[in-house]
Amino acid sequence: MSSTELPGVRAAAAVSPTVSAVRVAEGEKLRSASLPGLTLNVRSRPPGRTGLPPALFVHGLGGSSQNWSALMPLLEDVLDCEAVDLPGFGDSPPPDDGNYSVTGHARAVIRFLDAEGRGPVHLFGNSLGGAVSTRVAAVRPDLVRTLTLVSPALPEIRVQWSAAPTALLAVPGVVSLFSRMTRDWSAEDRTRGVMALCYGDPARVSETGFRDAVAEMERRLELPYFWDAMARSARGIVDAYTLGGQHGLWRQAERVLAPTQLIYGGRDRLVSYRMARRASAAFRDARLLTLPDAGHVAMMEYPEAVAQAFRELLDECGGS
């Protein structure tokens, strides 16, 4: 994997700035997992009963473990759910080595699972988290029982125009330019822009949900490393898209042994709906759910449908 270093941008130190408290939904708990050179924030819900199989949820670019807060309660009777904040996102500080590549994020997930001894898990990933989870499942099949991917960021030859601004974050200098151009934007303006890009129909978001999202946006903008983490992770996705051979994501998708549930949205502006067919052919044991009205974050837009798809996958696998 090529370097994710951005010329002229110094890696942010793993600092703990004084910012607003991260939101915790009713029934959720937060904890911190400390590893050498890495600290991860972990969000969980107490399972409905003891002995349930473990699950780990991995968010996308610019997201956090909160992206899974609508889905986890719908599965707490069949899974012991935990969602992780990737390094530099949510409430996790940047990694000491400044590595935000897909491989770097995958290594963080693997190190966490190894340290916790929770594997094999039912692994869920969205967008960047889908690419990360694909790599984890390919290189460490012993850690993954099933794989559920929501709009995974797997390489596309013809990227949608609506996804171009996100890809541009990887270009040196663009982040600082964008920061200057948008310094007068309010948190509400930024949140509406993100929702317009990520949701098939932003009108589905409740007023409370919107206000919570604005508060989280305000919190993230207080973090001194927010834009650096975004830019380096975007560069990591671009690098992964251009990587060929056995380390290419499509080649690794073919190596995944775990039963896989793929979920694509018909109104996704970041990952093309047309990639669903290719993904179905690449993963050797795949099932496909297409949601015509969903955008890029189906687990937030249609959590009931995503939960039902996983339950059917779990039934096929004998309920464990």
Side-chain angles (χ1 to χ4, degrees):
M1 180 66 67
S2 59
S3 172
T4 58
E5 291 296 322
L6 299 180
V9 179
R10 185 171 59 87
V15 295
S16 298
T18 302
V19 297
S20 305
V22 69
R23 179 176 173 272
V24 184
E26 184 178 354
E28 292 182 343
K29 295 181 179 179
L30 296 182
R31 67 182 178 89
S32 181
S34 296
L35 304 168
L38 187 69
T39 300
L40 299 176
N41 181 64
V42 183
R43 182 180 303 267
S44 64
R45 295 190 66 89
R49 63 181 187 277
T50 59
L52 291 178
L56 186 68
F57 300 79
V58 186
H59 64 81
L61 180 67
S64 75
S65 57
Q66 293 186 59
N67 290 22
W68 302 100
S69 289
L71 179 62
M72 288 197 296
L74 303 179
L75 296 173
E76 63 185 3
D77 62 318
V78 292
L79 293 177
D80 184 354
C81 297
E82 288 192 332
V84 65
D85 287 333
L86 290 173
F89 294 94
D91 217 28
S92 293
D96 285 359
D97 63 4
N99 188 346
Y100 289 100
S101 67
V102 171
T103 296
H105 285 311
R107 188 178 297 119
V109 171
I110 289 170
R111 289 179 59 198
F112 170 72
L113 290 174
D114 278 339
E116 296 285 314
R118 280 174 58 84
V121 299
H122 294 284
L123 187 60
F124 292 70
N126 168 235
S127 190
L128 166 63
V132 169
S133 297
T134 297
R135 184 148 290 171
V136 172
V139 303
R140 288 293 304 274
D142 59 303
L143 292 178
V144 182
R145 299 186 187 209
T146 66
L147 184 63
T148 299
L149 302 177
V150 181
S151 297
L154 300 175
E156 299 183 44
I157 296 177
R158 292 182 296 128
V159 178
Q160 299 183 101
W161 281 109
S162 52
T166 303
L168 283 173
L169 289 175
V171 178
V174 167
V175 166
S176 58
L177 175 63
F178 181 76
S179 180
R180 290 195 301 271
M181 291 176 60
T182 63
R183 61 176 174 265
D184 294 330
W185 290 12
S186 68
E188 288 86 350
D189 292 334
R190 295 177 189 272
T191 301
R192 289 191 181 93
V194 170
M195 288 183 170
L197 186 63
C198 292
Y199 281 73
D201 180 9
R204 290 180 59 87
V205 181
S206 68
E207 182 63 27
T208 299
F210 177 74
R211 289 299 159 197
D212 288 342
V214 170
E216 175 61 14
M217 178 65 72
E218 291 173 339
R219 192 192 72 83
R220 293 179 187 180
L221 292 172
E222 294 173 354
L223 298 170
Y225 51 79
F226 171 74
W227 286 113
D228 187 54
M230 285 286 290
R232 291 172 185 271
S233 292
R235 171 67 63 85
I237 295 174
V238 172
D239 284 351
Y241 271 37
T242 59
L243 193 67
Q246 64 178 344
H247 299 296
L249 282 169
W250 284 115
R251 182 70 62 85
Q252 292 194 322
E254 295 169 355
R255 291 168 50 192
V256 171
L257 301 176
T260 302
Q261 176 66 62
L262 299 166
I263 301 171
Y264 283 81
R267 295 184 178 181
D268 195 330
R269 297 174 180 85
L270 293 170
V271 170
S272 175
Y273 186 71
R274 66 176 179 268
M275 301 307 295
R277 179 173 295 181
R278 180 174 181 181
S280 295
F283 290 91
R284 65 180 67 190
D285 187 7
R287 300 130 186 88
L288 174 65
L289 171 65
T290 57
L291 298 171
D293 294 326
H296 191 59
V297 287
M299 72 286 186
M300 300 171 72
E301 301 170 87
Y302 296 94
E304 294 84 2
V306 174
Q308 181 59 36
F310 174 77
R311 286 177 180 275
E312 292 172 3
L313 173 64
L314 192 64
D315 286 344
E316 288 186 37
C317 298
S320 64

